[in-house]
Amino acid sequence: MDWRAFEISLALAFWTLAVLVPLSTLIARALAWRRFPGRGLVEALVALPLVLPPTVLGFYLLESFSADSLLGGFYQSVTGELLAFSFQGLLLASVIFNLPFAVQPIQRSFEAIQPNIREAAWVSGLSNWSTFWRIELPLAWPGFVSALALTFAHTLGEFGVVLMVGGNIAGETRTAAIAIYDRVQAFDNAAAAQMSAVLLLLSIVAISVVNLTARRQRRSRG
Amino acid sequence: MRPEPDSRRTGPRYTPSRRHLLISAAVVASAAALCGTPARAAESPLVAAASSLQFALPEIVHLFERETGRSVRVTFGSSGNLMRQIIQGAPFELFLSADESYTRALAARGLAPGEGKIFAQGRLVLFAASGSALKVDADMTGVGAALGAGKLRRFSIANPEHAPYGMRAREVLRHKGLWEKIKSRLLLGENVSQAAQFAATPGADGGLIAYSIAITPNFAKRGRSALIPSAWHAPLNQTMLLLNPAEETARAFHSFVGSAEAQAILARYGFTIPSPQ
């Protein structure tokens, strides 16, 4: 059993959430309530990783991470390190391929908030910021729980993009999903079976969390 | 007395839900802080190794760790794929290739301070799983007969585009005049380890795989194999190359692979050891 790989998967999942939750909140809120030019385009771009083959995403990311590309070159000139085959590169990829899993549930739950509730808050003298904290967030929390669970599970499970961009480097980019593939190739089925069982369990927990919050949300809405 | 408030009208409860949210945020933040990003500098050097070394190399690494107290981290793959990753900047310090053309290409691109060194020679075997009806012989008459009778459905080799054992398997099949007929029946492994994996499954009738994999007890018990004459293909020169980022530990491991102890392990896994020049 490759515990280091699980550590990397968990670190990747938590960092992805740490970056993605604030980012998705901004995007989801704008998509739910603002009408701006190019809104449809933004919505389509956010959904794109859902339908894009992981190898296509992996190919473009790998290209843009290389030292002679704009992004990869900029990163290297600032940090002195290469973005491809590094944990940081993996994190950036993870944020991109998880965008729809985080933004969409949050956006749906913002959209479900009646406009008159927010208007009532403003009329009562609440600032935009306190309206957000006291009214919007508490009403939208089931969307956040879904986003957390889906992003977490999806980060743990993503394979194609991680293999292409990360390159199966022990202690750096070898996540649990990659380690399972690696163990199968080494005919170490016992380790592969153990790690698969852990990932299966985590996925069941994640999907239960999503279903339970969805049910609670339905019940509370009546 | 006031009537009980209608839960429908008041909507979701506010306080617990906000607490819930703050708690999850706190959990995420603290866990992220605890995990940290994996540090690169403090860890042992990265070695890229051909899949044919999947079983012999861990033993060599183990011995190296015991004798020096230092360690290396190995990534296995097809030599061509690993070469591509090295060109794209993957932080490997040492490359153990199954074919010398790849190490030569890397040296020519200025990605290595010196030249590659041949440390062993690989061999191919014809393998069929216990359940397969394929006749396993070094002359490959069984494969030819099964192919002629339309009884060969799936035959596994490593991808000849980027895996040296796959290229040599193609050369062997061409040498025997079987290539054109067998082409449409091939299962292509991403590397020779996966090709062996495929060959050992009930879905495949057999395959041409690395002797160094077929010889391991765990694999040998899954079927029968026959050693293919090395004259039928270009040599599988296992070549090691120190890359530009190589530091002391990688250099020490490089010389250790050439040591008598490591060479004895390689010989045990069916590699032919080159005679000292």
Side-chain angles (χ1 to χ4, degrees):
Chain A
M1 182 100 146
D2 192 345
W3 286 112
R4 189 80 180 93
F6 271 105
E7 234 173 89
I8 292 192
S9 275
L10 288 178
L12 185 64
F14 285 125
W15 277 107
T16 302
L17 287 174
V19 176
L20 207 48
V21 169
L23 183 71
S24 307
T25 309
L26 285 175
I27 298 175
R29 208 164 164 274
L31 287 177
W33 292 324
R34 298 257 169 82
R35 293 291 170 268
F36 52 89
R39 181 176 166 277
L41 184 69
V42 173
E43 209 160 18
L45 282 177
V46 164
L48 198 57
L50 280 179
V51 291
L52 209 58
T55 44
V56 174
L57 190 58
F59 172 75
Y60 283 126
L61 285 174
L62 199 55
E63 289 289 298
S64 57
F65 284 3
S66 83
D68 32 70
S69 76
L70 206 63
L71 175 68
F74 174 75
Y75 184 83
Q76 196 166 34
S77 69
V78 172
T79 63
E81 293 198 38
L82 193 75
L83 206 47
F85 313 112
S86 73
F87 182 83
Q88 285 73 11
L90 210 53
L91 176 61
L92 184 54
S94 175
V95 166
I96 291 170
F97 67 65
N98 274 306
L99 215 51
F101 296 89
V103 171
Q104 288 186 348
I106 298 177
Q107 186 187 343
R108 297 291 163 264
S109 57
F110 276 140
E111 278 168 354
I113 299 174
Q114 300 293 323
N116 56 13
I117 295 180
R118 294 169 71 218
E119 284 157 12
W122 295 328
V123 168
S124 312
L126 285 183
S127 67
N128 273 338
W129 183 242
S130 17
T131 309
F132 175 71
W133 272 108
R134 296 194 183 182
I135 311 293
E136 294 168 15
L137 267 193
L139 285 172
W141 78 266
F144 279 87
V145 176
S146 291
L148 287 176
L150 286 174
T151 304
F152 183 80
H154 192 234
T155 310
L156 252 48
E158 179 54 42
F159 178 77
V161 176
V162 175
L163 188 61
M164 282 179 84
V165 172
N168 187 12
I169 291 171
E172 176 97 18
T173 61
R174 183 181 295 161
T175 61
I178 304 288
I180 290 171
Y181 183 70
D182 197 68
R183 285 299 88 204
V184 170
Q185 297 217 337
F187 301 96
D188 187 357
N189 281 356
Q194 282 175 338
M195 285 191 277
S196 300
V198 174
L199 282 194
L200 177 67
L201 201 71
L202 285 173
S203 306
I204 290 172
V205 169
I207 206 72
S208 311
V209 167
V210 173
N211 284 348
L212 280 176
T213 45
R215 201 173 303 157
R216 280 186 67 168
Q217 192 171 22
R218 267 202 303 277
R219 208 181 301 146
S220 66
R221 292 258 156 74
Chain B
M1 209 172 83
R2 278 189 347 172
E4 280 286 304
D6 182 354
S7 68
R8 271 195 183 183
R9 208 170 299 152
T10 49
R13 289 163 301 154
Y14 288 166
T15 339
S17 47
R18 189 166 64 193
R19 197 167 60 208
H20 196 122
L21 220 124
L22 287 174
I23 289 172
S24 9
V27 167
V28 169
S30 52
L34 274 177
C35 287
T37 49
R40 175 179 288 175
E43 300 220 43
S44 39
L46 291 165
V47 175
S51 289
S52 47
L53 294 161
Q54 182 95 51
F55 298 99
L57 199 61
E59 267 195 48
I60 296 174
V61 170
H62 188 72
L63 200 64
F64 176 73
E65 284 172 358
R66 224 174 45 200
E67 291 191 4
T68 64
R70 285 184 286 188
S71 165
V72 296
R73 289 178 288 161
V74 185
T75 297
F76 290 104
S78 73
S79 300
N81 210 359
L82 292 169
M83 177 189 75
R84 177 186 57 78
Q85 293 188 344
I86 291 166
I87 291 172
Q88 286 171 332
F92 294 110
E93 295 187 26
L94 176 63
F95 179 32
L96 304 179
S97 169
D99 185 78
E100 56 187 325
S101 66
Y102 294 120
T103 49
R104 213 179 291 135
L106 288 176
R109 276 174 171 259
L111 292 167
E115 293 294 308
K117 181 179 179 244
I118 298 172
F119 63 93
Q121 245 175 31
R123 294 287 298 271
L124 276 170
V125 292
L126 173 64
F127 176 88
S130 311
S132 163
L134 189 71
K135 183 174 156 249
V136 176
D137 58 335
D139 204 33
M140 297 192 57
T141 48
V143 176
L147 204 55
K151 286 199 174 132
L152 192 93
R153 290 157 306 147
R154 289 278 172 248
F155 191 79
S156 159
I157 66 170
N159 193 331
E161 295 295 318
H162 55 81
Y165 280 83
M167 292 175 199
R168 300 303 183 266
R170 183 170 59 187
E171 287 171 23
V172 167
L173 291 166
R174 280 195 174 137
H175 175 83
K176 298 305 287 180
L178 300 169
W179 177 251
E180 288 304 321
K181 257 194 256 171
I182 210 168
K183 249 183 354 193
S184 57
R185 310 279 156 117
L186 289 179
L187 285 173
L188 293 185
E190 158 85 11
N191 51 60
V192 74
S193 202
Q194 194 176 59
Q197 190 83 47
F198 289 166
T201 57
D205 298 302
L208 280 171
I209 60 170
Y211 186 34
S212 56
I213 292 172
I215 203 173
T216 59
N218 237 339
F219 196 85
K221 70 179 183 207
R222 295 178 179 215
R224 300 147 284 142
S225 53
L227 201 55
I228 299 293
S230 57
W232 292 357
H233 59 81
L236 282 155
N237 284 332
Q238 316 280 308
T239 313
M240 55 182 169
L241 179 70
L242 279 165
L243 302 163
N244 284 340
E247 289 185 25
E248 205 201 326
T249 306
R251 289 176 186 282
F253 187 69
H254 176 265
S255 13
F256 189 78
V257 173
S259 74
E261 294 162 284
Q263 299 274 292
I265 292 174
L266 288 166
R268 196 147 49 71
Y269 278 91
F271 286 104
T272 311
I273 304 306
S275 48
Q277 284 119 15

